[in-house]
Amino acid sequence: MKSLKYTLLPFLLLFNLAYLMAQENADSSAFEVQRKRVNSLLEARQQKFGAYDTSLTQKTGLFGLFKSKGDMQKSIDILKDVVITDNNIFLETQQLLKIKDFEKDKFRQMATEYDKQISAYMGTINKLQLENERLRTQLDKSAGNGLSGNVWLYLALLVILVLAVLLYRSRTQKSVPILKNTD
């Protein structure tokens, strides 16, 4: 029974681990998609900021010496786009953190649930082992009682046989006449 316990417990752990890995892959894929989205937004921000930096150096004003109002408006528009991208990055990063927290809570809950299941399995195994031991003890006692019962039976038969022999002798001695010696 102990070998069953040591065989069943690792099997259950491996089964639960495989299930956990399958769930982790599904959740990790959502995390990876979100992470790629944040990385693409960061790349877009970097490109937009590079365009903003380039627009600051452009001077299409009088003889190319001064910035025109259009140049300044173009720089402002690019900067607004960078700020909008930054806001999107913050929102997507918050979403990424929510996914990570959700995964952490889910894994914590699953670990607690699996601990409860394993504890229940171990409790069931222990109950079955105790029941098995109790039944073996009861079987040993009943087998022992059969042997001691046989001993008592043989002893009783021996006593009956001895009494029968004694009774037979006493009757045979009474029926045989006793001859007296007359000398």
Side-chain angles (χ1 to χ4, degrees), residues 176-183:
V176 174
I178 300 176
L179 296 174
K180 289 190 178 178
N181 236 349
T182 54
D183 286 323

Side-chain angles (χ1 to χ4, degrees), residues 45 48-49 52 72-88:
R45 184 201 186 278
K48 289 175 185 177
F49 193 78
Y52 171 72
M72 292 174 68
Q73 187 61 44
K74 184 178 176 186
S75 295
I76 290 171
D77 289 341
I78 293 174
L79 191 58
K80 283 181 183 178
D81 201 24
V82 168
V83 170
I84 290 171
T85 304
D86 285 346
N87 288 340
N88 288 337

Side-chain angles (χ1 to χ4, degrees), residues 43-170:
E43 288 175 17
R45 184 201 186 278
Q46 187 177 13
Q47 290 173 356
K48 289 175 185 177
F49 193 78
Y52 171 72
D53 196 31
T54 304
S55 74
L56 287 178
T57 59
Q58 287 181 347
K59 299 178 183 176
T60 60
L62 193 58
F63 304 112
L65 297 174
F66 301 103
K67 286 186 80 81
S68 69
K69 186 176 179 181
D71 292 336
M72 292 174 68
Q73 187 61 44
K74 184 178 176 186
S75 295
I76 290 171
D77 289 341
I78 293 174
L79 191 58
K80 283 181 183 178
D81 201 24
V82 168
V83 170
I84 290 171
T85 304
D86 285 346
N87 288 340
N88 288 337
I89 289 171
F90 290 135
L91 292 174
E92 295 296 328
T93 303
Q94 284 177 342
Q95 185 68 25
L96 187 66
L97 291 174
K98 285 180 184 177
I99 290 172
K100 193 68 173 171
D101 289 341
F102 174 75
E103 286 180 354
K104 188 188 310 180
D105 291 342
K106 183 178 178 183
F107 289 142
R108 189 175 297 134
Q109 179 185 8
M110 287 172 63
T112 304
E113 183 178 320
Y114 291 142
D115 283 344
K116 286 179 184 177
Q117 286 178 352
I118 289 171
S119 296
Y121 290 143
M122 288 175 63
T124 302
I125 289 170
N126 286 337
K127 283 181 185 177
L128 290 173
Q129 283 178 335
L130 291 173
E131 181 68 17
N132 190 19
E133 288 298 320
R134 186 186 66 78
L135 290 173
R136 283 182 190 217
T137 305
Q138 187 179 13
L139 181 64
D140 290 343
K141 284 182 181 178
S142 67
N145 286 342
L147 181 61
S148 69
N150 288 341
V151 169
W152 286 110
L153 177 67
Y154 294 138
L155 188 60
L157 286 174
L158 182 67
V159 168
I160 291 171
L161 186 63
V162 169
L163 287 174
V165 168
L166 288 176
L167 184 65
Y168 176 74
R169 277 191 181 173
S170 72

Side-chain angles (χ1 to χ4, degrees), residues 1-30:
M1 190 64 168
K2 287 183 181 181
S3 65
L4 178 64
K5 176 182 178 182
Y6 292 118
T7 304
L8 186 61
L9 191 60
F11 176 73
L12 291 173
L13 288 174
L14 286 175
F15 177 74
N16 288 336
L17 184 63
Y19 178 74
L20 217 170
M21 292 296 249
Q23 290 298 320
E24 180 180 341
N25 288 340
D27 292 337
S28 293
S29 65

Side-chain angles (χ1 to χ4, degrees), residues 29-55:
S29 65
F31 180 79
E32 285 299 316
V33 167
Q34 189 66 25
R35 190 176 65 80
K36 286 178 183 177
R37 191 177 300 159
V38 169
N39 286 339
S40 67
L41 286 172
L42 287 171
E43 288 175 17
R45 184 201 186 278
Q46 187 177 13
Q47 290 173 356
K48 289 175 185 177
F49 193 78
Y52 171 72
D53 196 31
T54 304
S55 74

